[in-house]
């Protein structure tokens, strides 16, 4: 902001534009960090209680991917959803949406050209996998530690998304398995819902 205020001539227009874009990017990062800290605080301070109701995961994923389609398109990334049969699970739609959004956001940040979401009703699983570089086993073991970011992670992350995913999953009694995607080669996250 100070650079932008100090730039006055035509020669400084490019410098002013760069400074303003950097300022906007910083504001976006700060907003995302505050949103994640608030969401984490809400999850830690409250149980499901009356918020537990049937949530149809295919419909939730369909809405979320539609919201994220412009972001994916801007990155040249294809989003795909496979949900052949409905899978309703008890829980908070807002929290399950936040969990899924974090997983898909991470996949979009690191997932290369493709992110697949699969809802398997008979197996009671939801899978998010991408075509990115994946993570080494030592980084996978640390996912969920607050403020942990894998080496080489893209700028803009705070290291809170996975912590939020783990807390929401624990609250909903969802098992999480993370490994390499056999289909796409990147990271695969499998959420297994209790019966």
């Amino acid at each position: 902001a100070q650079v932008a205020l100090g730039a006055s001539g035509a020669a400084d227009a490019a410098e002013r534009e760069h400074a303003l874009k950097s300022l906007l990017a910083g504001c976006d990062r700060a907003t995302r960090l505050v949103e994640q800290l608030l969401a984490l605080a809400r999850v830690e301070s409250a149980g499901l209680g009356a918020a537990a109701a049937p949530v149809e995961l295919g419909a939730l994923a369909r809405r979320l991917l539609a919201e994220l389609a412009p972001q994916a398109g801007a990155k040249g990334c294809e989003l795909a959803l496979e949900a052949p049969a409905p899978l309703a699970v008890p829980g908070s739609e807002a929290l399950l949406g936040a969990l899924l959004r974090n997983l898909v956001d991470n996949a979009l940040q690191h997932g290369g050209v493709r992110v697949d979401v699969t809802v398997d009703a008979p197996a009671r699983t939801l899978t998010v996998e991408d075509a990115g570089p994946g993570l080494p086993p030592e980084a996978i073991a640390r996912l969920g530690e607050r403020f942990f970011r894998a080496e080489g992670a893209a700028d803009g992350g705070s290291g809170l998304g996975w912590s939020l995913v783990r807390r929401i999953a624990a609250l909903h009694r969802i098992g999480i398995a993370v490994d390499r995607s056999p289909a796409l080669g990147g990271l695969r996250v499998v959420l297994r819902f209790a019966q």
Side-chain angles (χ1 to χ4, degrees), residues 34-35 43 45 60 75 83 97 100 123 134 147 158 166 171 177 181 184 186:
V34 169
E35 287 172 351
V43 169
S45 69
L60 178 65
K75 292 178 175 288
L100 184 55
F147 303 108
S158 63
R166 296 268 188 205
L171 188 62
S181 167
L184 301 178

Side-chain angles (χ1 to χ4, degrees), residues 163-184:
S163 183
L164 184 60
V165 164
R166 296 268 188 205
R167 295 295 298 149
I168 293 171
L171 188 62
H172 287 80
R173 298 182 307 126
I174 301 168
I176 302 178
V178 183
D179 61 6
R180 184 165 292 281
S181 167
L184 301 178

Side-chain angles (χ1 to χ4, degrees), residues 10 17 19-20 34 37 41 45 51 62 64 71 77-78 105 124 145 153-154 159 170 177 188:
E17 182 178 347
L20 290 172
V34 169
L37 285 170
S45 69
R62 197 169 290 107
L64 177 67
Q71 178 185 339
C77 182
E78 180 185 345
D105 275 342
R124 296 188 64 78
E145 291 179 18
R188 175 175 67 175

Side-chain angles (χ1 to χ4, degrees), residues 107 110-114 129-134 180 184-187:
H110 311 288
V113 296
R114 186 173 175 94
E129 53 192 325
D130 64 58
R180 184 165 292 281
L184 301 178
L187 200 65

Side-chain angles (χ1 to χ4, degrees), residues 4-187:
L5 285 173
S8 59
D12 294 330
E15 188 177 355
R16 180 175 40 253
E17 182 178 347
H18 176 73
L20 290 172
K21 285 181 179 178
S22 295
L23 178 63
L24 286 173
C27 288
D28 289 344
R29 281 192 303 275
T31 299
R32 180 85 173 127
L33 176 62
V34 169
E35 287 172 351
Q36 287 191 319
L37 285 170
L38 287 171
L40 195 54
R42 284 187 207 107
V43 169
E44 290 180 344
S45 69
L48 284 177
V55 178
E56 206 287 293
L57 293 178
L60 178 65
R62 197 169 290 107
R63 283 193 306 273
L64 177 67
L65 294 185
E67 289 173 20
L68 294 175
Q71 178 185 339
K75 292 178 175 288
C77 182
E78 180 185 345
L79 289 175
L81 172 64
E82 184 179 335
L87 173 57
V89 298
S92 161
E93 185 167 347
L95 292 178
L96 291 172
L99 181 153
L100 184 55
R101 177 178 288 278
N102 271 288
L103 292 178
V104 175
D105 275 342
N106 280 340
L108 286 174
Q109 287 296 319
H110 311 288
V113 296
R114 186 173 175 94
V115 175
D116 288 354
V117 177
T118 305
V119 177
D120 184 339
R124 296 188 64 78
T125 61
L126 186 148
T127 303
V128 178
E129 53 192 325
D130 64 58
L135 290 173
E138 58 274 9
I140 289 174
R142 294 192 61 197
L143 289 175
E145 291 179 18
R146 288 187 185 178
F147 303 108
F148 168 73
R149 295 187 58 214
E151 191 173 316
D155 289 340
S158 63
L160 287 175
W162 265 99
S163 183
L164 184 60
V165 164
R166 296 268 188 205
R167 295 295 298 149
I168 293 171
L171 188 62
H172 287 80
R173 298 182 307 126
I174 301 168
I176 302 178
V178 183
D179 61 6
R180 184 165 292 281
S181 167
L184 301 178
L187 200 65

